[in-house]
């Protein structure tokens, strides 16, 4: 898997009114610069380590839209997945805090890699490896996923299970500022039912985590029977912050199956956020009630489509990732299976409305064997553009938004075993790609940039799978404002 980051200045600000947050004029790399993303060979049949790829995003550069550096990790079969920074401009309230190290948890092996992106931003280097044995011995945790920096200087990483893959063993790993294992964050007896993503909102003394499923289930591929057997999640877990006590569990029911990415609004005074529920393809809003407890409601729903020539008679959109713009005006999400990226206006968080949509892959594009069936019985497929002469493979999966809100970057790998199951050789054997989507931030609207295409099918060691992206200057999922 590929992990992307962007080289350049970090955003120096502690603004709490996020509508006022802007990229400084000197911060050109925050806007174009370079990007870093995790590249995976795990699950592809290529016996090579995963790596961090650095991509040039500056249109004036002779290496624009190209991989300019590759940093392999030390082992084979890690499956680099998500990442986070050792520090950010918001969580410490300290202008000397710098995004010097990128934290790369390995979903399958349980290792955590620490990468120095500051010494040479265009050629990152490996700083430290936290071995899975050290993590398991001191905490019992395995399958690390989301990483956030804390105001204390510690690093907190959600873990999806114990080292055997049992969901009951999941919790939150703490590393100190030197990346030594400190222990678990949550108090004993306060582990959630399942783990995945998390986001904290200090002014409301709350952290909320989501729940994918048991690693023993998802690592072998998706099986609908596992959902019925209770091996996948449908809950949000509400914690006291920073105390680590599980205060409330929200059952999202049948409308909230497989809740994945979770985000509060950036404005730290706001007590509302969203979680994308993959299998039921609903965007669920959560919010604090008058009595101080938390509740939820479906804010956006993507209807499953009737299809032919597929494994089921109906196909969900499968919302796998979303981001919120830094000014809290727009929410963007992907439908990995259907193949579209959507832009919603959330100025009224309870009443989002569609502002833009673009098709960039999926199982229903023209030329696919799969068709969707309209209400009047007609077979249809979606028009998906070629970019620089390339047919778009897979579906939009991970997205990241520039600080100014004008560029979305998108990759197409979810998890190697699921990539193979749903998109077959078209993705796993031909490799991923990275696209740029141009955003109309005034009236709303999305358009594929015809000049940007990074083809990871032509990598030196063979086709690779690209997942999450990071910008050294900060992005719309890096900072939690205090």
């Amino acid at each position: 898997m590929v992990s992307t980051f962007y080289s350049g200045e970090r955003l120096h600000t502690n603004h709490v009114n996020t509508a006022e947050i802007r990229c400084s004029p000197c911060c050109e790399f925050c806007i174009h610069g370079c990007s870093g993303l995790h590249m995976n060979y795990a699950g592809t049949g290529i016996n090579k380590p995963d790596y961090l790829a650095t991509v040039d995003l500056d249109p004036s550069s002779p290496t624009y839209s190209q991989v300019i550096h590759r940093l392999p990790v030390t082992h084979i079969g890690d499956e680099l997945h998500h990442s986070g920074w050792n520090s950010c401009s918001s969580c410490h309230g300290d202008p000397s805090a710098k995004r010097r190290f990128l934290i790369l948890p390995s979903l399958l092996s349980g290792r955590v890699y620490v990468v120095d992106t500051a010494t040479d931003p265009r050629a990152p280097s490996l700083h430290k490896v936290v071995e899975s044995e050290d993590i398991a011995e001191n905490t019992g945790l395995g399958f690390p996923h989301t990483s956030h920096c804390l105001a204390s200087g510690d690093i907190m990483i959600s873990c999806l299970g114990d080292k055997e893959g049992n969901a009951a063993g999941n919790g939150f790993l703490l590393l100190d500022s030197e990346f030594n294992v400190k222990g678990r964050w949550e108090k004993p007896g306060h582990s959630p039912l399942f783990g995945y993503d998390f986001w904290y909102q200090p002014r409301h003394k709350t952290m909320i985590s989501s729940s994918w499923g048991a690693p023993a289930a998802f690592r072998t591929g998706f099986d609908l029977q596992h959902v019925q057997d209770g091996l996948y999640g449908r809950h949000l877990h509400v914690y006291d912050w920073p105390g680590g006590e599980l205060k409330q569990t929200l059952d999202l029911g049948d409308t909230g199956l497989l809740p994945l990415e979770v985000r509060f609004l950036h404005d730290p005074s706001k007590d509302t956020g969203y979680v994308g529920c993959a299998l039921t393809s609903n965007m669920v809003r959560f919010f604090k009630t008058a009595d101080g407890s938390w509740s939820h409601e479906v804010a956006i729903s993507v209807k499953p489509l009737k299809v032919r020539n597929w494994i089921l008679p109906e196909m969900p959109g499968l919302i796998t990732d979303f981001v919120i713009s830094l000014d809290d005006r727009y929410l963007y999400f992907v439908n990995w299976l259907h193949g579209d990226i959507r832009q919603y206006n959330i100025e009224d968080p309870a009443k989002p409305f569609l502002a833009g949509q673009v098709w960039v892959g999926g199982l229903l594009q023209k030329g696919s064997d799969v068709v969707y069936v309209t209400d009047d019985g007609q077979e249809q497929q979606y028009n998906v553009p070629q970019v620089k002469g390339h047919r778009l493979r897979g579906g939009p999966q991970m997205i990241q938004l520039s600080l100014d809100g004008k560029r979305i970057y998108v990759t197409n790998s979810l998890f190697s075993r699921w990539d193979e199951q749903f998109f077959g050789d078209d993705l796993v054997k031909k490799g991923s790609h990275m696209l740029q989507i141009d955003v109309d931030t005034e009236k709303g609207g999305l358009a594929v940039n015809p000049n940007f295409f990074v083809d990871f099918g032509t990598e030196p060691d063979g086709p690779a799978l690209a997942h999450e992206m990071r910008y050294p200057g900060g992005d719309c999922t890096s900072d939690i404002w205090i």
Side-chain angles (χ1 to χ4, degrees), residues 59-100:
S60 66
S61 170
T63 55
Y64 174 62
S65 186
Q66 296 178 32
V67 177
I68 59 175
H69 186 264
R70 298 169 182 87
L71 174 66
V73 293
T74 58
H75 290 72
I76 293 172
D78 285 307
E79 186 116 14
L80 299 177
H81 200 63
H82 282 211
S83 60
W85 293 101
N86 69 303
S87 176
C88 68
S89 58
S90 61
C91 71
H92 286 275
D94 179 359
S96 68
K98 295 182 179 179
R99 291 181 179 87
R100 179 177 177 82

mmCIF file of all heavy atoms in Angstrom, residues 59-100:
data_model
loop_
_atom_site.group_PDB
_atom_site.id
_atom_site.type_symbol
_atom_site.label_atom_id
_atom_site.label_comp_id
_atom_site.label_asym_id
_atom_site.label_seq_id
_atom_site.Cartn_x
_atom_site.Cartn_y
_atom_site.Cartn_z
ATOM 1 N N PRO A 59 2.144 22.116 -10.019
ATOM 2 C CA PRO A 59 1.959 22.116 -11.475
ATOM 3 C C PRO A 59 3.108 22.764 -12.242
ATOM 4 O O PRO A 59 3.283 22.504 -13.437
ATOM 5 C CB PRO A 59 0.656 22.911 -11.669
ATOM 6 C CG PRO A 59 -0.040 22.830 -10.359
ATOM 7 C CD PRO A 59 1.035 22.801 -9.321
ATOM 8 N N SER A 60 3.894 23.602 -11.566
ATOM 9 C CA SER A 60 5.016 24.259 -12.253
ATOM 10 C C SER A 60 6.287 23.414 -12.226
ATOM 11 O O SER A 60 7.301 23.795 -12.811
ATOM 12 C CB SER A 60 5.299 25.613 -11.602
ATOM 13 O OG SER A 60 5.766 25.449 -10.265
ATOM 14 N N SER A 61 6.247 22.263 -11.555
ATOM 15 C CA SER A 61 7.429 21.431 -11.407
ATOM 16 C C SER A 61 7.596 20.488 -12.594
ATOM 17 O O SER A 61 6.610 19.983 -13.142
ATOM 18 C CB SER A 61 7.321 20.613 -10.120
ATOM 19 O OG SER A 61 8.342 19.631 -10.056
ATOM 20 N N PRO A 62 8.840 20.197 -12.986
ATOM 21 C CA PRO A 62 9.049 19.232 -14.087
ATOM 22 C C PRO A 62 8.680 17.803 -13.697
ATOM 23 O O PRO A 62 8.523 16.955 -14.586
ATOM 24 C CB PRO A 62 10.556 19.352 -14.369
ATOM 25 C CG PRO A 62 11.156 19.909 -13.121
ATOM 26 C CD PRO A 62 10.107 20.809 -12.536
ATOM 27 N N THR A 63 8.542 17.544 -12.385
ATOM 28 C CA THR A 63 8.145 16.195 -11.941
ATOM 29 C C THR A 63 6.713 16.163 -11.422
ATOM 30 O O THR A 63 6.342 15.277 -10.653
ATOM 31 C CB THR A 63 9.106 15.683 -10.850
ATOM 32 O OG1 THR A 63 9.166 16.632 -9.774
ATOM 33 C CG2 THR A 63 10.494 15.457 -11.411
ATOM 34 N N TYR A 64 5.911 17.135 -11.853
ATOM 35 C CA TYR A 64 4.499 17.204 -11.451
ATOM 36 C C TYR A 64 3.787 15.895 -11.780
ATOM 37 O O TYR A 64 3.984 15.297 -12.831
ATOM 38 C CB TYR A 64 3.823 18.359 -12.179
ATOM 39 C CG TYR A 64 2.339 18.468 -11.980
ATOM 40 C CD1 TYR A 64 1.789 18.681 -10.721
ATOM 41 C CD2 TYR A 64 1.466 18.393 -13.080
ATOM 42 C CE1 TYR A 64 0.420 18.805 -10.546
ATOM 43 C CE2 TYR A 64 0.089 18.523 -12.911
ATOM 44 C CZ TYR A 64 -0.430 18.722 -11.644
ATOM 45 O OH TYR A 64 -1.791 18.853 -11.471
ATOM 46 N N SER A 65 2.970 15.426 -10.804
ATOM 47 C CA SER A 65 2.159 14.216 -10.966
ATOM 48 C C SER A 65 3.018 12.964 -11.099
ATOM 49 O O SER A 65 2.597 11.983 -11.720
ATOM 50 C CB SER A 65 1.221 14.355 -12.171
ATOM 51 O OG SER A 65 0.336 13.273 -12.272
ATOM 52 N N GLN A 66 4.204 12.997 -10.477
ATOM 53 C CA GLN A 66 5.087 11.838 -10.507
ATOM 54 C C GLN A 66 5.520 11.472 -9.091
ATOM 55 O O GLN A 66 5.562 12.308 -8.199
ATOM 56 C CB GLN A 66 6.331 12.125 -11.349
ATOM 57 C CG GLN A 66 6.055 12.381 -12.814
ATOM 58 C CD GLN A 66 7.340 12.703 -13.580
ATOM 59 O OE1 GLN A 66 8.426 12.206 -13.245
ATOM 60 N NE2 GLN A 66 7.217 13.522 -14.607
ATOM 61 N N VAL A 67 5.855 10.195 -8.907
ATOM 62 C CA VAL A 67 6.467 9.753 -7.658
ATOM 63 C C VAL A 67 7.927 10.181 -7.680
ATOM 64 O O VAL A 67 8.673 9.827 -8.599
ATOM 65 C CB VAL A 67 6.368 8.226 -7.493
ATOM 66 C CG1 VAL A 67 7.074 7.776 -6.204
ATOM 67 C CG2 VAL A 67 4.913 7.779 -7.473
ATOM 68 N N ILE A 68 8.346 10.964 -6.677
ATOM 69 C CA ILE A 68 9.712 11.461 -6.657
ATOM 70 C C ILE A 68 10.574 10.775 -5.602
ATOM 71 O O ILE A 68 11.790 10.977 -5.552
ATOM 72 C CB ILE A 68 9.751 12.985 -6.440
ATOM 73 C CG1 ILE A 68 9.081 13.365 -5.119
ATOM 74 C CG2 ILE A 68 9.101 13.716 -7.615
ATOM 75 C CD1 ILE A 68 9.202 14.853 -4.778
ATOM 76 N N HIS A 69 9.956 9.946 -4.732
ATOM 77 C CA HIS A 69 10.727 9.211 -3.738
ATOM 78 C C HIS A 69 9.908 8.049 -3.219
ATOM 79 O O HIS A 69 8.678 8.132 -3.132
ATOM 80 C CB HIS A 69 11.116 10.132 -2.569
ATOM 81 C CG HIS A 69 12.029 9.473 -1.578
ATOM 82 N ND1 HIS A 69 11.566 8.872 -0.418
ATOM 83 C CD2 HIS A 69 13.374 9.304 -1.573
ATOM 84 C CE1 HIS A 69 12.593 8.371 0.255
ATOM 85 N NE2 HIS A 69 13.692 8.615 -0.418
ATOM 86 N N ARG A 70 10.592 6.963 -2.898
ATOM 87 C CA ARG A 70 9.951 5.788 -2.317
ATOM 88 C C ARG A 70 10.750 5.345 -1.101
ATOM 89 O O ARG A 70 11.963 5.135 -1.196
ATOM 90 C CB ARG A 70 9.868 4.651 -3.341
ATOM 91 C CG ARG A 70 9.033 4.991 -4.562
ATOM 92 C CD ARG A 70 9.205 3.943 -5.664
ATOM 93 N NE ARG A 70 8.441 4.307 -6.859
ATOM 94 C CZ ARG A 70 8.910 5.093 -7.827
ATOM 95 N NH1 ARG A 70 10.151 5.580 -7.747
ATOM 96 N NH2 ARG A 70 8.162 5.386 -8.869
ATOM 97 N N LEU A 71 10.057 5.201 0.035
ATOM 98 C CA LEU A 71 10.694 4.743 1.263
ATOM 99 C C LEU A 71 10.097 3.402 1.658
ATOM 100 O O LEU A 71 9.000 3.339 2.215
ATOM 101 C CB LEU A 71 10.489 5.761 2.389
ATOM 102 C CG LEU A 71 10.983 5.316 3.775
ATOM 103 C CD1 LEU A 71 12.504 5.162 3.789
ATOM 104 C CD2 LEU A 71 10.505 6.277 4.853
ATOM 105 N N PRO A 72 10.787 2.293 1.396
ATOM 106 C CA PRO A 72 10.258 0.993 1.815
ATOM 107 C C PRO A 72 10.404 0.821 3.316
ATOM 108 O O PRO A 72 11.334 1.322 3.938
ATOM 109 C CB PRO A 72 11.139 -0.002 1.062
ATOM 110 C CG PRO A 72 12.428 0.725 0.827
ATOM 111 C CD PRO A 72 12.056 2.172 0.660
ATOM 112 N N VAL A 73 9.449 0.103 3.917
ATOM 113 C CA VAL A 73 9.565 -0.245 5.327
ATOM 114 C C VAL A 73 10.398 -1.525 5.446
ATOM 115 O O VAL A 73 10.921 -2.030 4.452
ATOM 116 C CB VAL A 73 8.177 -0.378 5.983
ATOM 117 C CG1 VAL A 73 7.508 0.987 6.024
ATOM 118 C CG2 VAL A 73 7.292 -1.387 5.255
ATOM 119 N N THR A 74 10.547 -2.031 6.655
ATOM 120 C CA THR A 74 11.560 -3.059 6.897
ATOM 121 C C THR A 74 11.080 -4.487 6.713
ATOM 122 O O THR A 74 11.894 -5.405 6.637
ATOM 123 C CB THR A 74 12.106 -2.917 8.329
ATOM 124 O OG1 THR A 74 11.020 -3.029 9.261
ATOM 125 C CG2 THR A 74 12.784 -1.569 8.514
ATOM 126 N N HIS A 75 9.762 -4.709 6.672
ATOM 127 C CA HIS A 75 9.235 -6.068 6.624
ATOM 128 C C HIS A 75 8.258 -6.234 5.461
ATOM 129 O O HIS A 75 7.816 -5.249 4.850
ATOM 130 C CB HIS A 75 8.539 -6.427 7.939
ATOM 131 C CG HIS A 75 9.473 -6.592 9.092
ATOM 132 N ND1 HIS A 75 10.109 -5.522 9.695
ATOM 133 C CD2 HIS A 75 9.885 -7.694 9.761
ATOM 134 C CE1 HIS A 75 10.872 -5.958 10.686
ATOM 135 N NE2 HIS A 75 10.745 -7.272 10.747
ATOM 136 N N ILE A 76 7.918 -7.455 5.188
ATOM 137 C CA ILE A 76 6.955 -7.793 4.141
ATOM 138 C C ILE A 76 5.632 -8.185 4.793
ATOM 139 O O ILE A 76 5.612 -8.858 5.817
ATOM 140 C CB ILE A 76 7.493 -8.940 3.263
ATOM 141 C CG1 ILE A 76 8.721 -8.455 2.466
ATOM 142 C CG2 ILE A 76 6.419 -9.473 2.319
ATOM 143 C CD1 ILE A 76 9.443 -9.557 1.719
ATOM 144 N N GLY A 77 4.512 -7.746 4.182
ATOM 145 C CA GLY A 77 3.197 -8.154 4.653
ATOM 146 C C GLY A 77 2.587 -7.279 5.720
ATOM 147 O O GLY A 77 1.650 -7.696 6.399
ATOM 148 N N ASP A 78 3.072 -6.034 5.885
ATOM 149 C CA ASP A 78 2.566 -5.154 6.939
ATOM 150 C C ASP A 78 1.141 -4.665 6.680
ATOM 151 O O ASP A 78 0.327 -4.580 7.577
ATOM 152 C CB ASP A 78 3.465 -3.922 7.087
ATOM 153 C CG ASP A 78 4.764 -4.233 7.795
ATOM 154 O OD1 ASP A 78 4.716 -4.796 8.895
ATOM 155 O OD2 ASP A 78 5.839 -3.894 7.257
ATOM 156 N N GLU A 79 0.845 -4.283 5.442
ATOM 157 C CA GLU A 79 -0.372 -3.566 5.044
ATOM 158 C C GLU A 79 -0.473 -2.226 5.791
ATOM 159 O O GLU A 79 -1.254 -2.045 6.737
ATOM 160 C CB GLU A 79 -1.647 -4.380 5.238
ATOM 161 C CG GLU A 79 -2.879 -3.685 4.680
ATOM 162 C CD GLU A 79 -3.543 -4.429 3.509
ATOM 163 O OE1 GLU A 79 -3.237 -5.604 3.274
ATOM 164 O OE2 GLU A 79 -4.376 -3.812 2.831
ATOM 165 N N LEU A 80 0.354 -1.260 5.357
ATOM 166 C CA LEU A 80 0.210 0.108 5.832
ATOM 167 C C LEU A 80 -1.187 0.589 5.491
ATOM 168 O O LEU A 80 -1.687 0.345 4.393
ATOM 169 C CB LEU A 80 1.251 1.019 5.171
ATOM 170 C CG LEU A 80 2.722 0.679 5.419
ATOM 171 C CD1 LEU A 80 3.614 1.642 4.641
ATOM 172 C CD2 LEU A 80 3.052 0.709 6.895
ATOM 173 N N HIS A 81 -1.817 1.298 6.407
ATOM 174 C CA HIS A 81 -3.231 1.611 6.194
ATOM 175 C C HIS A 81 -3.499 3.098 6.432
ATOM 176 O O HIS A 81 -3.600 3.869 5.493
ATOM 177 C CB HIS A 81 -4.084 0.729 7.104
ATOM 178 C CG HIS A 81 -5.503 0.589 6.689
ATOM 179 N ND1 HIS A 81 -5.894 0.014 5.496
ATOM 180 C CD2 HIS A 81 -6.645 0.946 7.302
ATOM 181 C CE1 HIS A 81 -7.202 0.032 5.393
ATOM 182 N NE2 HIS A 81 -7.690 0.594 6.478
ATOM 183 N N HIS A 82 -3.604 3.521 7.704
ATOM 184 C CA HIS A 82 -3.815 4.929 8.006
ATOM 185 C C HIS A 82 -2.575 5.507 8.678
ATOM 186 O O HIS A 82 -1.641 4.776 9.014
ATOM 187 C CB HIS A 82 -5.058 5.112 8.872
ATOM 188 C CG HIS A 82 -6.328 5.018 8.097
ATOM 189 N ND1 HIS A 82 -7.475 5.713 8.418
ATOM 190 C CD2 HIS A 82 -6.638 4.306 6.996
ATOM 191 C CE1 HIS A 82 -8.425 5.436 7.557
ATOM 192 N NE2 HIS A 82 -7.950 4.574 6.682
ATOM 193 N N SER A 83 -2.562 6.824 8.882
ATOM 194 C CA SER A 83 -1.375 7.473 9.416
ATOM 195 C C SER A 83 -1.767 8.716 10.192
ATOM 196 O O SER A 83 -2.916 9.162 10.156
ATOM 197 C CB SER A 83 -0.414 7.846 8.279
ATOM 198 O OG SER A 83 -1.048 8.735 7.365
ATOM 199 N N GLY A 84 -0.797 9.276 10.888
ATOM 200 C CA GLY A 84 -1.034 10.503 11.650
ATOM 201 C C GLY A 84 0.297 11.156 11.975
ATOM 202 O O GLY A 84 1.365 10.577 11.762
ATOM 203 N N TRP A 85 0.230 12.365 12.533
ATOM 204 C CA TRP A 85 1.440 13.123 12.834
ATOM 205 C C TRP A 85 1.789 13.036 14.311
ATOM 206 O O TRP A 85 0.916 12.860 15.167
ATOM 207 C CB TRP A 85 1.252 14.582 12.429
ATOM 208 C CG TRP A 85 1.131 14.759 10.954
ATOM 209 C CD1 TRP A 85 -0.022 14.951 10.239
ATOM 210 C CD2 TRP A 85 2.181 14.714 10.005
ATOM 211 N NE1 TRP A 85 0.269 15.027 8.899
ATOM 212 C CE2 TRP A 85 1.613 14.885 8.726
ATOM 213 C CE3 TRP A 85 3.572 14.537 10.103
ATOM 214 C CZ2 TRP A 85 2.372 14.904 7.558
ATOM 215 C CZ3 TRP A 85 4.327 14.540 8.938
ATOM 216 C CH2 TRP A 85 3.733 14.727 7.677
ATOM 217 N N ASN A 86 3.078 13.191 14.596
ATOM 218 C CA ASN A 86 3.534 13.222 15.984
ATOM 219 C C ASN A 86 3.064 14.474 16.705
ATOM 220 O O ASN A 86 2.960 14.502 17.937
ATOM 221 C CB ASN A 86 5.060 13.167 16.049
ATOM 222 C CG ASN A 86 5.713 14.436 15.524
ATOM 223 O OD1 ASN A 86 5.481 14.823 14.371
ATOM 224 N ND2 ASN A 86 6.512 15.091 16.339
ATOM 225 N N SER A 87 2.776 15.529 15.947
ATOM 226 C CA SER A 87 2.398 16.819 16.519
ATOM 227 C C SER A 87 1.630 17.584 15.457
ATOM 228 O O SER A 87 1.735 17.291 14.268
ATOM 229 C CB SER A 87 3.650 17.588 16.941
ATOM 230 O OG SER A 87 3.320 18.877 17.414
ATOM 231 N N CYS A 88 0.864 18.568 15.888
ATOM 232 C CA CYS A 88 0.204 19.437 14.932
ATOM 233 C C CYS A 88 0.097 20.829 15.521
ATOM 234 O O CYS A 88 0.384 21.052 16.699
ATOM 235 C CB CYS A 88 -1.169 18.901 14.530
ATOM 236 S SG CYS A 88 -2.396 18.934 15.844
ATOM 237 N N SER A 89 -0.321 21.758 14.698
ATOM 238 C CA SER A 89 -0.338 23.157 15.118
ATOM 239 C C SER A 89 -1.461 23.465 16.085
ATOM 240 O O SER A 89 -1.505 24.547 16.654
ATOM 241 C CB SER A 89 -0.462 24.061 13.896
ATOM 242 O OG SER A 89 -1.632 23.745 13.166
ATOM 243 N N SER A 90 -2.351 22.521 16.296
ATOM 244 C CA SER A 90 -3.506 22.816 17.141
ATOM 245 C C SER A 90 -3.477 22.111 18.487
ATOM 246 O O SER A 90 -3.856 22.673 19.502
ATOM 247 C CB SER A 90 -4.798 22.436 16.409
ATOM 248 O OG SER A 90 -4.801 21.063 16.124
ATOM 249 N N CYS A 91 -3.012 20.863 18.508
ATOM 250 C CA CYS A 91 -3.254 20.074 19.708
ATOM 251 C C CYS A 91 -2.364 20.467 20.874
ATOM 252 O O CYS A 91 -2.695 20.225 22.026
ATOM 253 C CB CYS A 91 -3.094 18.586 19.415
ATOM 254 S SG CYS A 91 -1.398 18.068 19.133
ATOM 255 N N HIS A 92 -1.243 21.085 20.632
ATOM 256 C CA HIS A 92 -0.340 21.461 21.721
ATOM 257 C C HIS A 92 -0.547 22.906 22.189
ATOM 258 O O HIS A 92 -0.187 23.247 23.301
ATOM 259 C CB HIS A 92 1.111 21.305 21.291
ATOM 260 C CG HIS A 92 1.564 19.881 21.217
ATOM 261 N ND1 HIS A 92 2.025 19.176 22.299
ATOM 262 C CD2 HIS A 92 1.589 19.018 20.176
ATOM 263 C CE1 HIS A 92 2.356 17.960 21.930
ATOM 264 N NE2 HIS A 92 2.087 17.825 20.649
ATOM 265 N N GLY A 93 -1.069 23.783 21.342
ATOM 266 C CA GLY A 93 -1.095 25.191 21.675
ATOM 267 C C GLY A 93 0.315 25.735 21.791
ATOM 268 O O GLY A 93 0.580 26.682 22.547
ATOM 269 N N ASP A 94 1.243 25.154 21.062
ATOM 270 C CA ASP A 94 2.666 25.468 21.172
ATOM 271 C C ASP A 94 3.204 25.769 19.780
ATOM 272 O O ASP A 94 3.267 24.875 18.929
ATOM 273 C CB ASP A 94 3.390 24.275 21.795
ATOM 274 C CG ASP A 94 4.890 24.499 21.921
ATOM 275 O OD1 ASP A 94 5.371 25.570 21.505
ATOM 276 O OD2 ASP A 94 5.566 23.589 22.426
ATOM 277 N N PRO A 95 3.603 27.023 19.495
ATOM 278 C CA PRO A 95 4.072 27.368 18.149
ATOM 279 C C PRO A 95 5.344 26.641 17.746
ATOM 280 O O PRO A 95 5.695 26.606 16.576
ATOM 281 C CB PRO A 95 4.292 28.882 18.228
ATOM 282 C CG PRO A 95 4.468 29.176 19.685
ATOM 283 C CD PRO A 95 3.592 28.187 20.398
ATOM 284 N N SER A 96 6.048 26.032 18.698
ATOM 285 C CA SER A 96 7.259 25.288 18.357
ATOM 286 C C SER A 96 6.952 23.851 17.945
ATOM 287 O O SER A 96 7.832 23.143 17.460
ATOM 288 C CB SER A 96 8.222 25.272 19.543
ATOM 289 O OG SER A 96 7.704 24.509 20.621
ATOM 290 N N ALA A 97 5.722 23.408 18.154
ATOM 291 C CA ALA A 97 5.346 22.044 17.780
ATOM 292 C C ALA A 97 5.390 21.891 16.267
ATOM 293 O O ALA A 97 4.871 22.718 15.536
ATOM 294 C CB ALA A 97 3.956 21.728 18.308
ATOM 295 N N LYS A 98 6.003 20.834 15.798
ATOM 296 C CA LYS A 98 6.184 20.631 14.367
ATOM 297 C C LYS A 98 5.759 19.227 13.954
ATOM 298 O O LYS A 98 5.959 18.275 14.692
ATOM 299 C CB LYS A 98 7.655 20.838 13.976
ATOM 300 C CG LYS A 98 8.150 22.255 14.179
ATOM 301 C CD LYS A 98 9.599 22.386 13.728
ATOM 302 C CE LYS A 98 10.096 23.814 13.905
ATOM 303 N NZ LYS A 98 11.508 23.945 13.489
ATOM 304 N N ARG A 99 5.214 19.155 12.767
ATOM 305 C CA ARG A 99 4.920 17.855 12.168
ATOM 306 C C ARG A 99 6.223 17.286 11.615
ATOM 307 O O ARG A 99 6.482 17.322 10.427
ATOM 308 C CB ARG A 99 3.898 17.995 11.047
ATOM 309 C CG ARG A 99 2.517 18.371 11.491
ATOM 310 C CD ARG A 99 1.590 18.451 10.271
ATOM 311 N NE ARG A 99 0.261 18.791 10.649
ATOM 312 C CZ ARG A 99 -0.190 20.043 10.786
ATOM 313 N NH1 ARG A 99 0.638 21.057 10.591
ATOM 314 N NH2 ARG A 99 -1.434 20.273 11.122
ATOM 315 N N ARG A 100 6.997 16.713 12.481
ATOM 316 C CA ARG A 100 8.302 16.190 12.069
ATOM 317 C C ARG A 100 8.224 14.723 11.685
ATOM 318 O O ARG A 100 8.913 14.266 10.776
ATOM 319 C CB ARG A 100 9.314 16.377 13.193
ATOM 320 C CG ARG A 100 10.693 15.835 12.878
ATOM 321 C CD ARG A 100 11.704 16.100 13.983
ATOM 322 N NE ARG A 100 12.989 15.491 13.666
ATOM 323 C CZ ARG A 100 13.908 16.038 12.877
ATOM 324 N NH1 ARG A 100 13.670 17.228 12.341
ATOM 325 N NH2 ARG A 100 15.055 15.424 12.629
#
